[in-house]
């Protein structure tokens, strides 16, 4: 069952909430790049700011920011508890494996 999140009630800027809504739309078992996420959030020229908003996600993995990776296909960072190894484990549980 999918959990509905009231992103508008979360503390953050309107820009951050745009990014978090876009993250919440990424299907399980799918990854997108920060650049693609910027496009999805309606801010195609703000990739760095989008990456910063990803890092400020107040409820990972509920808003599944672990599904956002670097444009070069590498796993990138994870600001949630457990760091990159937790991100790797979350993605593996969805069938996405990084070496």
């Amino acid at each position: 069952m999918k959990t509905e999140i009231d992103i508008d009630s979360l503390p953050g800027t309107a820009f951050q909430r745009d990014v978090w809504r876009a993250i919440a739309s990424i299907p399980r078992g799918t990854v997108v790049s920060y650049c693609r996420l910027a496009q999805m959030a309606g801010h195609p020229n703000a990739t760095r700011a989008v990456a910063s908003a990803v890092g400020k996600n107040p409820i990972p993995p509920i808003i599944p920011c672990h599904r956002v990776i670097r444009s070069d296909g590498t796993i990138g960072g994870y600001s949630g508890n457990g760091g990159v190894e937790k991100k790797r484990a979350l993605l593996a549980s969805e069938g996405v494996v990084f070496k």
Side-chain angles (χ1 to χ4, degrees), residues 22 33-47 50:
S33 69
Y34 291 96
C35 182
R36 176 68 185 120
L37 181 62
Q39 295 167 352
M40 292 168 60
H43 303 282
N45 297 316
T47 302
V50 164

